[in-house]
Amino acid sequence: MRLRPWLNSLLLLFLTTTVCAYVYKDYDENLLLKTLPNNAVLASFRFVTNGTYTNHHSLFPRSLAQILSHSNTRELHLKFTMGRWDAESWGAQPFNGQTAGGTGVELWAWVEAVDGPTADKRWTTLTNALSGLFCASLNFIDGTRTIRPVMSFTPDGDHEDMDRLHLLHGSLPREPVCTENLTPFLKLLPCKGKVGISSLLDGHKLFDAQWQSMSIDVRPVCTAPDSCVLQLTQTVDMVLDVERSLQRRDYPVPRPRPREELNCDPNKPYGADGSPCFPRSNIADLPWSISEVFGRPLHSYCPLASEPAEHVCLDVPQERPIYITRDSIEVRHPDGRRCYTLPPAGDFDIILPQQSPALPITPFPEPPLYASRSFTGHGQEHGGVKAVIKNPHPTRPVEFVYLESLPWFMKPYLHTLKTTIYPAPPATGDADLESPVTALYYRPAIDRSRGTHLEASLLLPANSTLILTYDFEKAILRYTEYPPDANRGFDIAPAVITVLKHSPSPQHTLPYTISGAPIQQGHGRVAIRTTSLLLSLPTPDFSMPYNVIILTSTVMALAFGSVFNLLVRRFVGADEVAGKKKFGTVVEKIREKVRRLKGKRKTE
Amino acid sequence: MAIIPLALRSAKLFRLLPALSALFVLVGIAWLLVLPLDDYSRRTYISENALLPGSVHTYFAGSEQNVFQAYREEVKALGRDASSDDIVARIGDIFKGQGLKVGVQKYKYTASGKDYEGKNVYAVLEAPRGDATESMVLVAGWRNMDDVLNESGVALVLALARYFKRWSLWSKDVIFLITSDSRAGPQAWVDAYHDMQPQNVSPLPVKSGAIQSVVVLDYPTSSSFDSIHILYDGINGQLPNLDLFNTAVSIAGKQMDIHTTLQEMYSHNDGYSSRLHTMLRGMVNQGLGHATGPHSSFIPYHIDAITLQVSGHGYHDEVSMGRLLESLFRSLNNLLEHFHQSFFFYLLLGARRFVSIGTYLPSAMLLASSFTLSAIRLWVQSGRTTTTITPACETPQRALLLPTVFTLLLHLLGAIPLYLFNTTTSTSLTTTFTNFTLLTLLLPIAISYLLHTLLHPTQHQLTLISCISLLLLGLFLAALATLNFSLSFLIAVFAVPYPLAHAAAGRGKCASAFWVLLLQVVAPTMALVGVAKYWGEEVGLILEEAAFGWVVWRMWTQVVVWCVWWPAWVCAGVMACSGWWGKVVEKKMEEVEVREEKEEKKERKEKEL
């Protein structure tokens, strides 16, 4: 019995240290559902885990922690993205675009190292290890795909000595994101997709989305200089097409519906006889529920998450009627969100019934910029890139950084880089002042060892469009350098546009907090990415290398032969030349000899 | 060329050259005529295994037909002559109602004084989770090439857009394009897609990725059809990959049981004469290098495209066509790479038989080299002295300045008709052409007269003019054969008499007159009249089409006609006339040669003795 007070004090000590070390709760998760125009629903899952490299009792996944500590990575951002965010109908990307990457896989990290070469080595370690962990071809991010951005990214975490940190960035636009990447993603979660909101994450639904993005962000967060934690934020954002999701449930194959089920326009003059049917547009809201759209209801809640908390939030018009499962408490927030606590046991579902007339759906607020990028020209030798960036705001100019990371075989001509603004700003007479480019960072490519890195800081006046163009030359690769399916072309990574000093409008600050501490990302910067591009290079006919060799040799021989002849010969008739006999054929020579022999015989 | 001294040292061989040249012509033409035989042509086959034509089940039927009918009513209600603003607004609304991104493009071209303007409307079906790198295009012109309302075609594109939207399986974006006409609209759109548009064509507001293939639908009736006529010729004789054509034929035949035809050979019995006809019609279209359908504009951008046109009356209706297109797009969707496996250079003899470049190219090459052979002969001849054979102690000096300058000037003169016919307004095109034809009849005679009275060329120089002209013709035609086989072949056939005409000068005034007359029959202007007769159209319309092609389609057939063919023809005419006012006609080469041989024999005998 003497032992108990000692044990108690030990327990007390342990508890106090724990409380002191972890100001935040270890784990939290929440889900936001927002209806978007055109019957789309944004589902944004967010899982936040706090831990350290060394503490084996924390929820922070050990596999990831080991990789980070081994490669001396202090901050990591890994994004898997598929599809396109339709900014025109949905508005700005959630979380200022900080949780999404470009098409395919995008990775950037701050690696601690004394110098550049060491950082490169550690970066290789990191990419190879992550490649194994996430079943993605991240190991293909080599020197030719790595850049060191100078203006576009800033660290989110609290770092002590920034001088020793090296920012490295790489992307794989061709990487298809699929279930094999989702499974390791879910394994990092403490509830492994069994219960809680992560139980909704099913590969079939996630990868049928119009746009989806999985992101993993690790950063150190310090509340005081000596109490720092490593914070892992896992995000899954996806935009589901309600119409297609519902239809896939009812009709796995989209066969034509019976005519009676069609929503025909009765006002058309020709529909009277019942045969032609002008389908009415599906702009009206479709009724849906979580279990219909995700294929299963939300199962309970993760017991490791902080509780009681509003784990599921819904952003729909205030007047919209909603049905929810029992044992759940609704909390209405002043900004229009409705949040729900999950029942301790059993399933949770939200049903949005059919309503008429449909309430107008507000998309996300307008993004600071609209951006698109495309190739210009044709042919296998040269090409051009045209990026169209539009500032829709009537009064506010936008300052942003445009980042391009191009492979070495696409060689841009920097002197052709041109920026044009429509409508043209008033002329001041000073070309430097008029140019929207305020700073330019350019690192040219070296064949087969590094790619081009182009970063331009631009200032776009209010309510105008910037057209940025440059020309490039296509390199000819060695035949071993072509990938499989070489005739498809090469994917060029999306351009990253970072809007600096964007003052977020109120709707942008979404309710993602753990124990009241807001999650800051990107320091109010907004990231916008264009789509990737397909570059077709001159491709040899791999199925017939023999023919190619034969043909080239023949052409070379013919060309050489003719040119050589033309240069050194004069074309004349044989009989015009002195010493005609020189050209005698073998037969004639023999004849001549015979003749001589005959002559000899005669003389004899 | 290095063999000349060796081979031509014998006068016999030298005399054989004209025969050899004639043999080349005969073999070249005969070569083409044997191509339709089974031994020289091949059955078509699908080379790209990823296409898997006809392996998917198609579902376009049932209530989709009701929707299609409604859309057709909408199209009919607007009518053929609806303003492009109305069309764009109505079609755009339908596309928007289907939840697609819609873009509108305005264009205006001016050719031979006429304005061609309109608006294209298109919708982009973004592939779910697609990355916007690749796309396929389904096109229907509001009015087809014959200026008829493409009522079922447009309606089917609308119905398929709605139907395709429901599928999740697209790996590429699908673009649905309705152009207000079938000639300028597609060109304006594809130019703007690559940012290569001229000034009066507006850029595209919405774009997708690299276009991999294009299918155009031409379905201008509401009645059922019997077979599908596939158009495949591109601008300047470029062709789409044979795999695209084969896929369409294969799906239509095997899956939908629809008969396919091509080159307007609607009753093709797969016999020799049908095959030959199909091939020759294909060669005429290829040789002219004009657009045969809206698909033609895409091909110069290395985008494989075909037009499906309905023909006849039978039991197939819009559902068959819809299912054919569904299956075709599913096949194209399977493609991992750009079309590259199959042939880009071929002559089709029927829907399922073709000749590849390796087999047909020699015929045009033989024809082209027959001119080169004639030129070589003239070159050698120009080096010989006229009277006796002097065992030359030094290489003969050739006076090349006048012949070279003269031939080059003739070729430059071609720029005048080129400019004239591409810029004259359409109303005066016919009169311009008549005047030009009359002028051109007299031109060789006039040039010949001027040449002889002003410059007094020697026979030696005249021979060299012929030589350089024929050498250039052979060179151009051989180079052209690799770019546009048919054009090269057709010009070569018309140019066959030129070497003979060049030789006519030495055969007296009657011969000259005969050859001058014969040349008029094979003149480029006469060929143009022939083409007009072949199509049953007015020459003015053909010229208007050509000028339109020059401005809008960037056709270069005219350059070949006016700067290669026409100068060669004028030169042949000039040489043929020179017999009339040339000085003393120098003795024929043959006589010289005969004497030469005799002397040689004498020498030998003397030696032997």
Side-chain angles (χ1 to χ4, degrees), chain B residues 120-136:
Chain B
N120 295 327
V121 57
Y122 64 99
V124 182
L125 162 55
E126 293 188 341
R129 67 191 290 266
D131 52 3
T133 52
E134 295 173 286
S135 57
M136 311 178 272

Side-chain angles (χ1 to χ4, degrees), chain B residues 188-356:
Chain B
W189 191 83
V190 72
D191 281 350
Y193 200 89
H194 297 89
D195 277 285
M196 307 278 287
Q197 72 273 25
Q199 214 168 20
N200 282 330
V201 176
S202 61
L204 298 185
V206 186
K207 275 197 212 173
S208 176
I211 303 174
Q212 302 291 343
S213 45
V214 175
V215 179
V216 184
L217 182 59
D218 181 5
Y219 191 174
T221 60
S222 292
S223 57
S224 52
F225 62 92
D226 165 54
S227 61
I228 289 174
H229 181 230
I230 304 181
L231 299 168
Y232 57 92
D233 311 271
I235 309 281
N236 292 326
Q238 286 176 294
L239 300 173
N241 195 281
L242 192 56
D243 263 341
L244 177 62
F245 178 85
N246 286 344
T247 310
V249 170
S250 162
I251 292 172
K254 287 182 186 153
Q255 197 177 16
M256 311 306 306
D257 199 23
I258 305 175
H259 183 60
T260 39
T261 57
L262 60 153
Q263 299 298 352
E264 297 175 29
M265 293 291 292
Y266 297 114
S267 51
H268 193 290
N269 61 5
D270 207 25
Y272 175 81
S273 116
S274 293
R275 285 181 187 177
L276 186 67
H277 263 90
T278 312
M279 185 179 80
L280 292 178
R281 294 183 74 99
M283 281 177 64
V284 169
N285 274 330
Q286 192 184 21
L288 293 173
H290 65 142
T292 50
H295 69 282
S296 301
S297 305
F298 291 89
I299 292 174
Y301 284 95
H302 195 18
I303 299 169
D304 301 292
I306 50 169
T307 295
L308 304 180
Q309 210 172 34
V310 299
S311 68
H313 295 278
Y315 58 90
H316 295 293
D317 60 357
E318 61 269 7
V319 174
S320 312
M321 190 51 135
R323 290 175 63 186
L324 166 65
L325 287 171
E326 183 191 349
S327 188
L328 188 54
F329 272 81
R330 291 284 302 274
S331 276
L332 299 176
N333 190 46
N334 286 342
L335 270 185
L336 293 172
E337 302 179 68
H338 198 273
F339 271 115
H340 70 284
Q341 280 279 2
S342 197
F343 297 89
F344 282 102
F345 297 94
Y346 50 86
L347 290 176
L348 281 168
L349 307 170
R352 289 202 166 78
R353 199 156 263 283
F354 79 108
V355 191
S356 80

Side-chain angles (χ1 to χ4, degrees), chain A residues 77-333:
Chain A
H77 301 273
L78 174 61
K79 322 275 173 180
F80 298 88
T81 313
M82 287 300 273
R84 275 158 283 183
W85 177 266
D86 182 0
E88 268 153 40
S89 42
W90 302 336
Q93 273 190 14
F95 318 115
N96 289 343
Q98 296 293 334
T99 58
T103 304
V105 181
E106 196 175 335
L107 169 72
W108 69 97
W110 277 267
V111 178
E112 191 178 327
V114 283
D115 54 1
T118 320
D120 284 335
K121 258 185 209 164
R122 291 179 173 168
W123 169 251
T124 313
T125 312
L126 176 70
T127 52
N128 282 281
L130 287 175
S131 165
L133 185 61
F134 289 103
C135 299
S137 320
L138 284 162
N139 51 328
F140 284 103
I141 300 183
D142 53 5
T144 61
R145 293 169 194 267
T146 304
I147 54 165
R148 293 157 188 262
V150 288
M151 295 183 269
S152 295
F153 298 100
T154 49
D156 288 337
D158 304 316
H159 298 286
E160 282 172 4
D161 48 347
M162 283 300 294
D163 297 341
R164 284 169 60 84
L165 294 189
H166 296 257
L167 167 63
L168 293 116
H169 176 277
S171 52
L172 293 170
R174 181 73 189 113
E175 183 74 9
V177 182
C178 206
T179 348
E180 77 264 22
N181 309 118
L182 178 66
T183 313
F185 182 91
L186 289 178
K187 278 190 179 165
L188 297 181
L189 296 172
C191 289
K192 316 270 185 221
K194 302 287 182 209
V195 286
I197 59 167
S198 58
S199 65
L200 289 180
L201 288 173
D202 168 33
H204 290 99
K205 292 292 171 186
L206 177 60
F207 298 115
D208 190 33
Q210 288 287 93
W211 174 83
Q212 56 95 359
S213 159
M214 298 193 303
S215 92
I216 289 149
D217 302 280
V218 184
R219 59 181 188 134
V221 178
C222 300
T223 43
D226 54 346
S227 66
C228 291
V229 289
L230 208 54
Q231 190 174 70
L232 164 68
T233 313
Q234 284 174 268
T235 320
V236 176
D237 294 333
M238 58 201 217
V239 177
L240 290 159
D241 185 335
V242 175
E243 192 186 0
R244 212 176 49 226
S245 295
L246 297 183
Q247 174 201 291
R248 272 190 94 126
R249 180 201 55 180
D250 303 335
Y251 303 88
V253 172
R255 285 196 181 82
R257 307 278 179 87
R259 194 191 177 286
E260 307 80 68
E261 287 181 25
L262 288 183
N263 181 11
C264 297
D265 189 343
N267 301 325
K268 293 285 175 189
Y270 46 75
D273 61 339
S275 184
C277 166
F278 188 85
R280 276 197 288 201
S281 60
N282 295 323
I283 286 170
D285 275 359
L286 289 171
W288 59 274
S289 66
I290 286 185
S291 55
E292 280 174 337
V293 166
F294 290 94
R296 56 175 89 154
L298 217 161
H299 187 64
S300 185
Y301 71 96
C302 182
L304 296 166
S306 58
E307 61 159 333
E310 302 145 15
H311 286 303
V312 179
C313 290
L314 193 62
D315 188 354
V316 292
Q318 284 285 359
E319 304 77 28
R320 173 105 207 215
I322 292 168
Y323 304 124
I324 53 164
T325 325
R326 260 188 303 175
D327 302 337
S328 175
I329 301 156
E330 182 184 279
V331 183
R332 283 192 181 236
H333 286 268

Side-chain angles (χ1 to χ4, degrees), chain B residues 26-45:
Chain B
L26 288 178
V27 172
I29 291 172
W31 193 297
L32 196 77
L33 294 179
V34 299
L35 289 179
L37 297 175
D38 278 346
D39 292 339
Y40 300 93
S41 57
R42 281 198 269 169
R43 271 187 73 82
T44 57
Y45 56 95

Side-chain angles (χ1 to χ4, degrees), chain A residues 93 136 232 280 286 295 304 317 338 394 447 490 525 568 584 586 594:
Chain A
Q93 273 190 14
L232 164 68
R280 276 197 288 201
L286 289 171
L304 296 166
R338 296 178 226 185
D447 277 6
F490 294 79
R525 294 177 166 211
V568 302
V586 180
V594 170

